[in-house]
Amino acid sequence: MSENVNDHGAADITTVSADAPQMQPLAKNPKGVEKAISALLLIGIAAFVGFGVCYWQNAAYWTYGALLGLGLLAMGAAFIAWGKYLLPRGPFVEERHVLASTETERSAFAAALMERGAGEIKRRKVLGTLLGGSLGVFSIVALFPLVRSLGPLPGDKLAVTDWKKGQRLVDINGNPVNITDMAVGGVLTVYPHGLENTDDGQAIDQTILIRVQNEPFTTMKGRESWTPSGYVAYSKLCTHLGCPVGLYEQQLELLVCPCHQSMFNVRNGALPQFGPAPRPLPQLPLAVDSEGFLIAAGGYNQPVGPGYWERP
Amino acid sequence: MVTMRSTLKKAAAGFSLSIVGLAALSFLATPLESGAATKIADDGLGATAQICPSGTTQVAGKVGVPANLVNENGDTAKKNAGTAYSDVQCYNAAGEMVAYGNADILYELPSSSLIPLGQQLYMQNCASCHGVHADGVLPNGTTGNYPDLTGLGPATINFWVTTGRMPAANPRDVQAMRRQPRLTVFQSNAIAAWVNSLQPATPYIPSPNLKGANLTVGQDLFALNCAACHTITGGGDALAYSTFAPSLHVATPTQIVDAIRTGPGNMPRFTGNLTDSQVRDITAYVAESIQKPTNIGGVGMGGLGPVAEGFIGLALGVGGLMLVSFWVGDRSE
Amino acid sequence: MTAVLKPRTKRQAKEAAGPYGKVGDAVAELDERLGIAKGGRTFLDKIFPDHWSFMLGEIALYSFVILLITGIFLTLYFVPSQGLVKVPMNFPYKPLRGDTVSQAFMSTINMSFNVRCGLLMRQMHHWACDIFVGSIVVHMARVFFTGAFRKPRETNWLVGTTLLILAIANGFLGYSLPDDLVSGTGIRIADSIMLSVPVVGSYLSYFVFGGNFPGQVVIARFFVIHVLLVPLIILGLVGAHLALLVRQKHTQFPGKGRTERNVVGSPMFPVFIFKTQGFLFMTFGVTALLGAFAQINPIWQFGQYIPSNISYAVQPDWYMGFLDGLLRIFPAWQWNAWGHTIPFEVTFPAVIFPGIVFNIAMAWPILERKFFGGDNEIHHLLDRPRDVPKRTAFGVAFFALLATLFVASSTDVLANYFHVSLNTVLWTMRVLTIVIPLVAYPVTYKICLELQGGGTAMGKRKRPNDVVRTAEGEYVATQAPVRPGDAHHELDATPVPTFIAAAAVLSEGEAMAETSDESNGARVVDR
């Protein structure tokens, strides 16, 4: 192995003649290249001045970026052309110095760590243990304010919505929905009464109401009374990743999630028919109050939205 | 040295010319629209203002949906929701209701004088699939292949025929595409008049009044109700099983209201859940902002979103700079 | 100390100054205090190999610089608050007038419409981000396929892969800041991905959002992370990346005069500085032109994010596309037992798969040593990809898998464009995701072997074969002779000169011209 020269600075002092072949510009016609670079730089200056004028005059939007870009490209090309064609063409060489230290130096470093450091800790075992313990406890409790204060514990909040028995369905403008309102094939996004302009109402309680036909029908066993006058309501939160399932195809009677195209059949309880969603959309049981407005006959019977660890 | 000087002279000339040119360019500034344009006009139209076409009698539409005008798919009890239960109803001398509506949208029935022409055109263009009685029953008795057109209202016919979807290019397609219409609006009105005469129903053919529309309401409702299928920029996209939501970039205001009120094909039917004022606002939003998008940042790339942007960024940005690096660096020895 | 007379005339001053004038004096003063001369000269003499593929990392570096500059502009106008405000009735974009929006959205549309050059800065920032991530990927591919990650550069490879992850994350955080419909949908999906993590998912979601989705704090938190935390880490890592590069020196392709013990190329000063400065301006210029002519992320057309609104055909920015694609095509396989759910249809594509991808990437130097025939030697000379067929084939197959997933994130666009059923497209992408990488590996392997067998030396221009018919009727192919101009003559490499001696005898006029146009930085020693 050659001598370990780790000292970067002690390179040789060399002198090269100015007409050595490596010192010549790459261009066969340096004067011509000079002219071209001058032209480029003048274009650059003009473009920058133009940018200034356009800014001052509040010109059309495209002029700002176009002139700025033109000037920058011209300057960039000028720099590159100068560096490539007018400066010494090279190539030049430098030696790689061996990165690794000598065996002696490595041993010295390791010895410093072990003898002075680890050795001392070994000799005073009790202190070492206690030190380790205190650092450990500190790093754990330091996480308390950094992590735990970020937000409340979820508790069972993920499993419930604000829908309660007897609550009217309202649209985004707060209007309740009468059973004579929607035609067959109609669709509407609804929220619990009073919550249509709240974050929770829009993010969690959002429900899609569809009039599938004029008469009630059964989506699943046990849900015979859930669809008065052919209206059916499902949670609008996709069970895949929580996107609002606002896309309804009335002839196919299919709810399609716009994000990743999970498809839910509205006649059989929004069972997923295609795509990545694993669970059906929870169905909201409906009823009609004395004035003919749709109300919830209860809350959702399962958590809405995407899956999570605690979901039964 | 000599050549340097002359080059500099030429450059100086060009430089000053370009400054002048750029200063001139700057005055091509396209100022953004001033705020004056969309004052929400309050014409003070109530039931007393004349909304009905001339030659008809205007009556306050206090009654519910006339029993003989119920749409087959069920109608809404809400007022001003595209049915005859609207602010005003308009009757002709013979006592037929030829129009209804309000200041936002007027729904009109094509003149009954078009019925004979309509029957003729229908038999030529539509009967082979939809049957001679427009009920979807073919001469050999088979039914169910093609829709029953009766009792759906003139707006339904207007939508399908004026967008060119009907007569169908390929009757076996899952979903017909918009194309150059085969029949004129006049002919479409005639066919609508005849089909409606078999079983009168609403909605009639709408003429939305876009003046004074509230584009903010339009955008909010569009985002809530329409963007899920048609995309927020109205470009349309493929839906389940070979169906698709078409682009909204060429629809006329009448066709837009047609579609909203009749729910063609797989599109939901929006009746009582949207008032005529809201439908008018949505239509204005589509006609103004969807069809003439504000692309102040440059080429809009069709509103396709991050997919198109990624292509451009990679191809022109990274690709262009790689070309620069081909110039700056050497090739392999 | 001898008394020194203050120079009174310009000529005296010139004589009093050293042979290198004021610059020389400044160097002397600084060196007395900081000792910079020795290291400084070594630094200026540093050699950079000239191959074009070594410039790709610079694209990334300079687009990061542009991100910083334009980003500072944006932070002066953006308000990271979800508090609600009303858009003024005289706002230039009519459909937003009177709308109730968050301050984040309002400040962004205000910046776009009412601040001169505001939209340009926004668009340049976004385009620079797309170019940043794209160029990191291209640069990483170059490093991978030429084996520049081998000993002693594994640390730098780790630093670089981390930079890629941070760039992607920061991009996502950045375009989510305006609180518009498209990016808000992305945040909703991110929340659901957090929820899908077993055991701690719900806590993760509640801690990040300060409660349930959407909460009031997530935009402000994203802002701090995007503007302060991640850029600081990126800056630090970029510094480490460059420092390692300077210390270990750049790799180079084998060729004339190039060995494991030297570096051949251009010196840092002035050649490389000029070229790289030019590259900075070119990157800046390309970004400015894109910002001027190509609209990106027009949030005024999307409107404020409202959790019950959704648009069809929403995609994340391109560098997240492979995740979106896998989320679309992955079957609905959830695990549900004993009162708990692990939604694998989310956890695998969004948590496990990227973990596998980036871990393979990070661990590649070790993987190659163990399984793909790599060695434990120090390498400063690069491989031609064809000479390491196993690595190249693996890289191509890996890339093909990711590319297929990118394509899978546009299933709806493909179905619409080609008029094919959406369901068919999805099934096709499922099959292709498995088939394409399995096919890509052996095909690439074979191609590498074919190219190796071609026999042409590195980089030499290929010469056509002359087909000659022998007298017996046999056809024989021989390589055509070298055409004039095809041979590439490179000079022998010399060390970087410390001093440049005066040119040989020239006419006085030429000598004057040469010295006055001297651009090498060192003045010719006084004769």
Side-chain angles (χ1 to χ4, degrees):
Chain A
M1 196 184 239
S2 60
E3 47 169 296
N4 284 311
V5 183
N6 292 318
D7 184 3
H8 296 284
D12 302 320
I13 305 288
T14 53
T15 306
V16 159
S17 164
D19 51 17
Q22 290 87 355
M23 298 300 293
Q24 305 313 308
L26 186 64
K28 293 197 186 65
N29 176 15
K31 297 291 179 203
V33 175
E34 252 186 78
K35 282 198 211 143
I37 298 179
S38 313
L40 279 172
L41 288 170
L42 285 169
I43 292 174
I45 295 174
F48 288 141
V49 173
F51 168 74
V53 169
C54 287
Y55 183 95
W56 170 44
Q57 291 293 316
N58 201 7
Y61 168 79
W62 64 269
T63 58
Y64 305 136
L67 290 169
L68 196 60
L70 178 66
L72 289 165
L73 285 181
M75 258 184 77
F79 259 115
I80 293 172
W82 194 341
K84 188 172 163 106
Y85 297 123
L86 295 183
L87 293 179
R89 60 187 289 186
F92 295 96
V93 65
E94 71 169 337
E95 298 302 309
R96 287 183 195 275
H97 299 290
V98 176
L99 272 173
S101 320
T102 61
E103 276 304 318
T104 326
E105 286 165 343
R106 287 188 200 174
S107 313
F109 185 53
L113 286 175
M114 291 305 295
E115 287 164 10
R116 280 183 254 156
E120 167 72 8
I121 303 274
K122 268 209 201 93
R123 238 177 295 143
R124 307 194 194 277
K125 278 210 173 63
V126 175
L127 288 184
T129 320
L130 286 175
L131 183 63
S134 76
L135 282 173
V137 174
F138 169 70
S139 40
I140 292 175
V141 298
L143 289 178
F144 285 10
L146 282 177
V147 175
R148 176 64 188 89
S149 302
L150 285 175
L153 291 175
D156 66 346
K157 292 218 217 78
L158 284 168
V160 297
T161 66
D162 298 302
W163 287 102
K164 294 198 179 18
K165 182 169 174 166
Q167 209 162 14
R168 273 193 185 168
L169 279 61
V170 298
D171 67 7
I172 188 70
N173 295 316
N175 304 315
V177 185
N178 195 292
I179 51 169
T180 58
D181 275 356
M182 285 166 63
V184 168
V187 79
L188 183 67
T189 304
V190 293
Y191 314 88
H193 175 74
L195 296 178
E196 68 273 9
N197 274 318
T198 62
D199 270 346
D200 273 5
Q202 290 174 354
I204 299 168
D205 306 321
Q206 51 175 311
T207 297
I208 188 132
L209 178 71
I210 307 166
R211 189 164 202 185
V212 179
Q213 57 185 39
N214 280 318
E215 307 79 33
F217 64 100
T218 305
T219 52
M220 280 183 167
K221 207 153 88 84
R223 299 187 184 180
E224 289 80 3
S225 61
W226 288 22
T227 60
S229 296
Y231 285 88
V232 70
Y234 292 108
S235 164
K236 204 175 173 188
L237 281 172
C238 184
T239 50
H240 180 224
L241 283 167
C243 289
V245 185
L247 200 171
Y248 178 61
E249 298 202 63
Q250 63 153 317
Q251 279 175 346
L252 296 175
E253 292 177 342
L254 215 56
L255 274 170
V256 181
C257 182
C259 286
H260 307 108
Q261 292 85 48
S262 300
M263 300 174 190
F264 306 94
N265 188 322
V266 302
R267 272 210 184 265
N268 63 4
L271 285 179
Q273 185 169 305
F274 187 83
R279 290 176 308 282
L281 300 173
Q283 184 178 352
L284 185 71
L286 297 175
V288 185
D289 73 5
S290 53
E291 290 169 354
F293 291 108
L294 284 169
I295 54 171
Y300 284 104
N301 63 356
Q302 52 180 295
V304 300
Y308 54 99
W309 173 250
E310 294 91 342
R311 192 185 200 284
Chain B
M1 293 293 192
V2 175
T3 48
M4 200 59 182
R5 195 174 288 154
S6 63
T7 313
L8 275 172
K9 263 206 220 150
K10 280 189 220 151
F15 169 62
S16 24
L17 268 177
S18 55
I19 294 298
V20 172
L22 285 163
L25 244 185
S26 68
F27 290 104
L28 288 175
T30 48
L32 293 162
E33 291 170 68
S34 65
T38 52
K39 269 208 303 255
I40 298 177
D42 179 19
D43 298 341
L45 281 180
T48 49
Q50 183 64 18
I51 297 172
C52 283
S54 55
T56 61
T57 319
Q58 178 162 316
V59 167
K62 286 211 189 74
V63 297
V65 182
N68 65 335
L69 266 181
V70 174
N71 185 294
E72 253 188 17
N73 285 333
D75 256 331
T76 172
K78 273 257 173 81
K79 196 174 173 200
N80 287 329
T83 68
Y85 182 30
S86 296
D87 274 347
V88 300
Q89 295 171 351
C90 315
Y91 292 87
N92 64 6
E96 296 170 320
M97 185 172 69
V98 294
Y100 61 85
N102 44 55
D104 300 318
I105 305 182
L106 182 68
Y107 297 83
E108 290 175 281
L109 181 67
S111 162
S112 50
S113 63
L114 294 172
I115 292 181
L117 172 64
Q119 180 175 24
Q120 203 182 4
L121 288 167
Y122 176 86
M123 294 307 161
Q124 286 168 355
N125 294 284
C126 323
S128 53
C129 293
H130 291 285
V132 295
H133 300 297
D135 52 7
V137 179
L138 296 174
N140 60 6
T142 50
T143 179
N145 287 333
Y146 304 106
D148 176 0
L149 299 177
T150 57
L152 295 181
T156 308
I157 310 284
N158 185 66
F159 175 79
W160 287 93
V161 178
T162 61
T163 58
R165 288 178 165 89
M166 289 291 140
N170 178 2
R172 283 193 209 87
D173 265 344
V174 170
Q175 181 171 336
M177 287 180 64
R178 171 187 276 269
R179 59 186 183 138
Q180 198 68 301
R182 291 299 186 262
L183 299 165
T184 65
V185 175
F186 181 76
Q187 292 170 322
S188 165
N189 286 343
I191 296 178
W194 178 76
V195 174
N196 192 59
S197 68
L198 301 176
Q199 188 178 333
T202 59
Y204 290 176
I205 299 175
S207 300
N209 175 15
L210 298 187
K211 239 204 298 227
N214 186 333
L215 291 175
T216 309
V217 170
Q219 180 175 37
D220 286 343
L221 290 170
F222 184 88
L224 181 61
N225 294 300
C226 322
C229 300
H230 290 284
T231 83
I232 189 71
T233 49
D237 208 350
L239 305 177
Y241 300 114
S242 294
T243 58
F244 60 93
S247 157
L248 302 177
H249 287 123
V250 290
T252 68
T254 298
Q255 289 164 352
I256 296 170
V257 182
D258 278 339
I260 296 176
R261 287 300 188 205
T262 64
N266 274 303
M267 177 165 165
R269 252 190 100 203
F270 297 92
T271 53
N273 32 359
L274 286 175
T275 66
D276 277 334
S277 168
Q278 291 171 321
V279 172
R280 189 272 307 264
D281 289 339
I282 296 175
T283 306
Y285 176 74
V286 174
E288 285 278 318
S289 308
I290 295 277
Q291 294 181 350
K292 297 176 235 168
T294 301
N295 289 329
I296 52 171
V299 175
M301 291 188 272
L304 283 176
V307 166
E309 293 162 2
F311 268 121
I312 300 286
L314 290 176
L316 295 186
V318 178
L321 289 168
M322 280 178 72
L323 290 177
V324 172
S325 67
F326 289 163
W327 175 39
V328 176
D330 294 342
R331 296 189 56 194
S332 302
E333 226 287 82
Chain C
M1 201 165 5
T2 53
V4 177
L5 287 170
K6 264 215 169 114
R8 272 202 217 104
T9 66
K10 261 201 190 155
R11 197 164 163 278
Q12 279 182 341
K14 216 170 166 193
E15 279 174 0
Y20 298 107
K22 291 229 168 67
V23 173
D25 289 345
V27 167
E29 296 290 333
L30 282 173
D31 185 61
E32 265 184 79
R33 293 158 175 79
L34 301 174
I36 55 157
K38 198 155 72 178
R41 203 201 112 214
T42 315
F43 182 72
L44 293 179
D45 288 349
K46 223 146 208 19
I47 296 292
F48 280 88
D50 283 322
H51 196 259
W52 64 266
S53 65
F54 301 156
M55 315 256 152
L56 301 175
E58 290 172 39
I59 306 179
L61 177 65
Y62 296 136
S63 32
F64 184 64
V65 170
I66 296 169
L67 283 172
L68 286 177
I69 298 175
T70 52
I72 292 174
F73 182 96
L74 298 181
T75 52
L76 296 174
Y77 293 92
F78 180 72
V79 178
S81 163
Q82 286 170 253
L84 297 175
V85 289
K86 250 188 146 78
V87 178
M89 289 309 289
N90 62 351
F91 192 75
Y93 186 61
K94 289 186 253 177
L96 285 174
R97 288 178 181 167
D99 215 359
T100 303
V101 299
S102 65
Q103 291 206 26
F105 187 81
M106 181 71 224
S107 59
T108 313
I109 58 174
N110 182 53
M111 186 200 310
S112 306
F113 282 85
N114 293 332
V115 175
R116 212 175 295 188
C117 280
L119 183 62
L120 178 67
M121 290 292 151
R122 246 197 83 218
Q123 302 207 148
M124 280 179 66
H125 193 76
H126 204 140
W127 282 122
C129 170
D130 279 348
I131 295 176
F132 182 46
V133 183
S135 56
I136 293 181
V137 171
V138 169
H139 167 67
M140 197 172 168
R142 194 283 294 169
V143 169
F144 176 83
F145 285 115
T146 55
F149 55 83
R150 292 172 296 174
K151 189 166 167 182
R153 294 179 176 81
E154 301 99 323
T155 325
N156 227 2
W157 172 257
L158 285 177
V159 171
T161 314
T162 312
L163 281 170
L164 174 63
I165 299 172
L166 289 173
I168 292 176
N170 221 29
F172 167 74
L173 293 172
Y175 74 72
S176 302
L177 289 177
D179 201 20
D180 59 281
L181 180 60
V182 175
S183 66
T185 309
I187 301 182
R188 169 72 246 199
I189 293 178
D191 181 41
S192 307
I193 293 174
M194 278 186 251
L195 279 174
S196 77
V197 175
V199 184
V200 296
S202 52
Y203 297 94
L204 204 54
S205 160
Y206 265 58
F207 287 163
V208 169
F209 285 85
N212 56 16
F213 183 86
Q216 287 297 312
V217 298
V218 72
I219 297 289
R221 288 182 178 173
F222 277 12
F223 180 71
V224 170
I225 301 173
H226 173 82
V227 165
L228 181 67
L229 296 179
V230 176
L232 274 182
I233 303 176
I234 291 183
L235 267 175
L237 286 179
V238 166
H241 204 65
L242 294 175
L244 281 166
L245 171 64
V246 167
R247 174 137 174 92
Q248 295 174 328
K249 296 196 185 27
H250 207 282
T251 53
Q252 61 186 349
F253 284 104
K256 179 174 179 182
R258 291 158 169 83
T259 69
E260 286 278 359
R261 295 210 194 289
N262 65 12
V263 190
V264 176
S266 310
M268 166 78 87
F269 186 81
V271 182
F272 183 74
I273 292 274
F274 267 66
K275 286 189 191 174
T276 206
Q277 187 76 352
F279 215 98
L280 165 62
F281 284 113
M282 292 293 244
T283 310
F284 214 152
V286 167
T287 312
L289 286 181
L290 280 172
F293 293 112
Q295 184 172 271
I296 185 167
N297 205 24
I299 58 164
W300 55 92
Q301 295 177 1
F302 305 153
Q304 159 76 32
Y305 175 64
I306 293 177
S308 49
N309 284 4
I310 184 73
S311 166
Y312 202 37
V314 166
Q315 311 108 10
D317 267 15
W318 74 267
Y319 38 86
M320 318 264 302
F322 72 103
L323 292 175
D324 196 54
L326 194 53
L327 279 170
R328 285 184 192 214
I329 67 178
F330 201 81
W333 292 338
Q334 69 163 356
W335 178 87
N336 180 257
W338 303 312
H340 291 286
T341 305
I342 300 182
F344 273 115
E345 76 279 354
V346 177
T347 318
F348 184 83
V351 179
I352 299 177
F353 181 74
I356 296 176
V357 165
F358 288 117
N359 275 302
I360 290 183
M362 291 229 188
W364 181 255
I366 301 174
L367 288 177
E368 181 170 274
R369 244 177 262 159
K370 278 207 157 63
F371 303 114
F372 287 85
D375 56 30
N376 205 14
E377 301 302 313
I378 290 189
H379 291 279
H380 296 298
L381 284 178
L382 297 171
D383 295 321
R384 278 189 311 172
R386 70 191 67 178
D387 293 329
V388 274
K390 277 195 186 157
R391 179 204 301 154
T392 307
F394 182 87
V396 170
F398 201 65
F399 230 75
L401 170 66
L402 293 175
T404 315
L405 290 175
F406 275 114
V407 174
S409 81
S410 355
T411 45
D412 53 323
V413 175
L414 292 171
N416 196 39
Y417 189 75
F418 293 110
H419 297 301
V420 181
S421 155
L422 183 63
N423 307 48
T424 309
V425 173
L426 198 91
W427 269 108
T428 311
M429 294 314 306
R430 282 176 172 166
V431 169
L432 286 181
T433 305
I434 300 181
V435 164
I436 286 189
L438 288 179
V439 166
Y441 188 97
V443 167
T444 313
Y445 194 90
K446 282 269 154 38
I447 294 179
C448 285
L449 294 180
E450 280 282 325
L451 289 173
Q452 278 179 32
T456 49
M458 176 119 178
K460 293 262 187 305
R461 219 162 272 182
K462 291 188 179 39
R463 304 207 301 261
N465 286 339
D466 280 343
V467 177
V468 172
R469 194 154 188 227
T470 64
E472 292 83 37
E474 204 190 343
Y475 287 103
V476 170
T478 53
Q479 232 181 8
V482 179
R483 292 177 301 187
D486 266 4
H488 179 107
H489 293 299
E490 192 178 284
L491 301 167
D492 286 324
T494 65
V496 180
T498 320
F499 300 107
I500 302 175
V505 177
L506 299 162
S507 72
E508 203 175 30
E510 281 179 76
M512 290 293 296
E514 300 258 68
T515 51
S516 65
D517 284 8
E518 194 67 52
S519 57
N520 301 61
R523 257 177 50 180
V524 174
V525 180
D526 249 30
R527 272 159 265 183

